Amino acid sequence: MANREKNKKTLLELAKLSQNCCCADCGATDPDWASCTLGIFVCLNCSGTHRNLPSVSRIKSIRLDFWDDELVQFMKSNGNRAAKNFYEKFVPVFYYQPQPDDCEVLREQWIRAKYERMEFAEKNRDRPYTADVYEGMLWKKGKDNGQFLERKFVLSVHDFTLKYYKEDESKGPKATISVKDLNATFQPEKIGHAHGLQITYCVDNHTRNLFVYHKNGQEIVNWFNAIRAIRLAYLKTAFPTASNEELIPWITRNYLKEGYMEKTGPLQREPFKKRWFILDSLDRKLLYFKTQLDAIELGVVFIGPENHGYSVRECVPKGTRGNKWKCGVIVETPDRQFVFMCEQERDQREWVEALKTIISKPMMPQDYTTEANIRRRR
């Protein structure tokens, strides 16, 4: 008969080993759950997805559930490293592997891709997001009434473009977007759909947003990885000597911080207005929009390093007018001083820390071009 306490101790020791001490799927530390059919240790969040795959994975708590000797021996013989070597053997370099804080659809589809669809166990497995042309229907937020309308999108590696069409495709694409400055990031809360994806690009040095979703989780994640695939292909042509490790952070990225602040004008005598801000650490841009679902930015602030005259600090501005919020943030640039107001002290601290993160980084060669382009807009 199995010794319950002995087996529990063995499992806890296995979970502390370097190859098992992080979740097999998202990398979260100290996993307390395990798939006794796959032989892997996973976190609480990922265990929920595994429970939805009963034909593939059976989940048990390593602390609370009973384990018989055979299952414990199976876990000893397998583990996260062995599973990774098998189930992730041929993951494309561009394919996004979710982190602990990523949204549910990314985690779910990563787990299903590995264990249910076995997408990465074979070298030449057909993967639609690796095709030279990827096309399909997405629900896109309309510009005028804010409703989501179904539109055809086409992503092509031949000319490095993303196109979308209105109802009558014979009239040609409604927009042709270069992938040069394209970014995609999941925004389920902002968009109001579990599969919401924000696509950002540049036109005439101005940032624009598309907000889309697909009702099928696998399809929207395929779109995301198709965008990552074409972005990597483009970056390889633009920077032929760069390695994959150098290019991967530039494929797509989440924004460092987003949220509402109040903003005044350059003379600091204009009334404060509530704006939605996005801080892009890679491009060193603080963008602001009228609302969080606006298509076109109203303005942008370049965030340079400290030795170029940039700084940020908390403040309690005097003589301001029209502001409802009282927690101030001052950003100093070589050209002017920007004053923002936050609703809560927590927001104030988070914005200051996020801006300091960028200010502490040295300038990259491409940052000088970004800074010059922003200055030309004024």
Side-chain angles (χ1 to χ4, degrees):
M1 184 175 178
N3 186 319
R4 184 185 185 98
E5 290 304 315
K6 178 183 176 183
N7 284 346
K8 177 181 176 180
K9 181 181 178 182
T10 300
L11 288 167
L12 291 172
E13 290 174 349
L14 287 173
K16 290 179 181 178
L17 296 176
S18 59
Q19 61 265 38
N20 297 325
C21 65
C22 294
C23 174
D25 297 320
C26 75
T29 56
D30 303 321
D32 275 345
W33 299 82
S35 170
C36 61
T37 50
L38 296 172
I40 57 174
F41 294 87
V42 297
C43 69
L44 175 63
N45 286 335
C46 290
S47 73
T49 299
H50 280 268
R51 286 192 184 90
N52 293 327
L53 307 176
S55 63
V56 175
S57 184
R58 181 185 168 202
I59 287 290
K60 293 169 71 73
S61 168
I62 64 176
R63 295 181 182 275
L64 304 177
D65 289 331
F66 174 80
W67 289 73
D68 60 35
D69 294 342
E70 289 183 1
L71 289 181
V72 173
Q73 185 57 46
F74 180 76
M75 296 300 298
K76 276 186 178 181
S77 302
N78 290 276
N80 292 5
R81 182 180 297 166
K84 182 180 181 69
N85 290 339
F86 179 74
Y87 292 104
E88 301 179 27
K89 190 173 183 179
F90 298 107
V91 178
V93 66
F94 61 81
Y95 194 98
Y96 186 82
Q97 301 182 31
Q99 305 301 304
D101 294 332
D102 280 320
C103 63
E104 183 178 349
V105 69
L106 275 172
R107 182 188 301 110
E108 178 193 8
Q109 291 305 316
W110 168 238
I111 291 170
R112 288 184 179 275
K114 285 199 293 181
Y115 309 118
E116 186 178 55
R117 300 193 293 268
M118 302 283 287
E119 284 185 21
F120 315 120
E122 299 175 12
K123 185 174 184 179
N124 297 317
R125 181 70 182 267
D126 181 41
R127 306 181 186 95
Y129 42 81
T130 61
D132 289 342
V133 177
Y134 192 82
E135 62 180 80
M137 306 299 289
L138 292 172
W139 289 87
K140 173 190 170 292
K141 179 181 174 292
K143 181 174 66 174
D144 298 326
N145 55 17
Q147 292 183 333
F148 281 82
L149 305 169
E150 200 170 23
R151 295 287 182 255
K152 180 179 179 180
F153 282 75
V154 178
L155 189 66
S156 174
V157 75
H158 302 298
D159 56 0
F160 293 123
T161 61
L162 173 67
K163 300 174 183 177
Y164 72 89
Y165 299 78
K166 297 189 78 171
E167 296 91 336
D168 188 356
E169 295 181 25
S170 64
K171 295 182 178 179
K174 171 67 175 176
T176 299
I177 301 164
S178 169
V179 304
K180 177 179 180 292
D181 300 301
L182 197 69
N183 186 40
T185 178
F186 277 94
Q187 299 277 14
E189 293 184 6
K190 181 194 292 188
I191 295 174
H193 193 283
H195 306 157
L197 188 69
Q198 177 177 338
I199 298 173
T200 304
Y201 59 101
C202 287
V203 176
D204 299 328
N205 204 33
H206 286 260
T207 300
R208 291 176 175 255
N209 293 320
L210 295 176
F211 300 99
V212 300
Y213 70 83
H214 196 284
K215 295 177 181 178
N216 181 278
Q218 180 180 349
E219 182 64 15
I220 196 66
V221 173
N222 280 351
W223 268 104
F224 181 59
N225 282 299
I227 290 171
R228 288 178 59 85
I230 195 173
R231 280 281 298 156
L232 180 60
Y234 168 78
L235 290 170
K236 281 181 173 291
T237 63
F239 307 98
T241 61
S243 66
N244 285 334
E245 290 73 20
E246 292 172 312
L247 296 178
I248 285 171
W250 292 88
I251 299 178
T252 61
R253 71 273 190 187
N254 295 328
Y255 298 118
L256 185 58
K257 183 166 175 59
E258 295 187 63
Y260 280 110
M261 290 192 290
E262 292 181 330
K263 176 189 178 297
T264 186
L267 300 178
Q268 299 180 18
R269 292 194 294 268
E270 299 87 346
F272 277 81
K273 295 180 180 179
K274 185 178 176 182
R275 296 289 183 251
W276 179 264
F277 286 82
I278 294 176
L279 185 57
D280 186 344
S281 62
L282 214 57
D283 276 347
R284 308 188 77 117
K285 289 180 178 180
L286 179 64
L287 302 150
Y288 55 94
F289 302 78
K290 187 173 182 180
T291 70
Q292 60 182 335
L293 291 178
D294 268 14
I296 305 173
E297 46 99 344
L298 298 176
V300 59
V301 181
F302 183 80
I303 307 297
E306 187 174 10
N307 62 354
H308 284 214
Y310 292 83
S311 65
V312 60
R313 69 181 187 275
E314 297 177 7
C315 70
V316 181
K318 297 180 181 179
T320 55
R321 52 191 287 259
N323 58 300
K324 296 179 180 178
W325 298 339
K326 307 300 180 184
C327 304
V329 174
I330 288 182
V331 176
E332 299 280 0
T333 77
D335 298 327
R336 60 169 280 197
Q337 181 187 81
F338 292 86
V339 179
F340 309 111
M341 305 298 288
C342 301
E343 184 176 18
Q344 306 287 341
E345 289 184 0
R346 177 181 176 181
D347 299 326
Q348 180 189 45
R349 289 194 301 270
E350 289 179 353
W351 276 111
V352 169
E353 289 305 311
L355 288 160
K356 282 183 176 179
T357 298
I358 300 177
I359 289 171
S360 66
K361 297 193 307 182
M363 292 270 278
M364 301 290 287
Q366 63 271 17
D367 295 332
Y368 291 95
T369 301
T370 302
E371 183 181 31
N373 288 337
I374 292 173
R375 285 184 169 179
R376 278 198 293 269
R377 287 176 47 177
R378 293 174 186 160

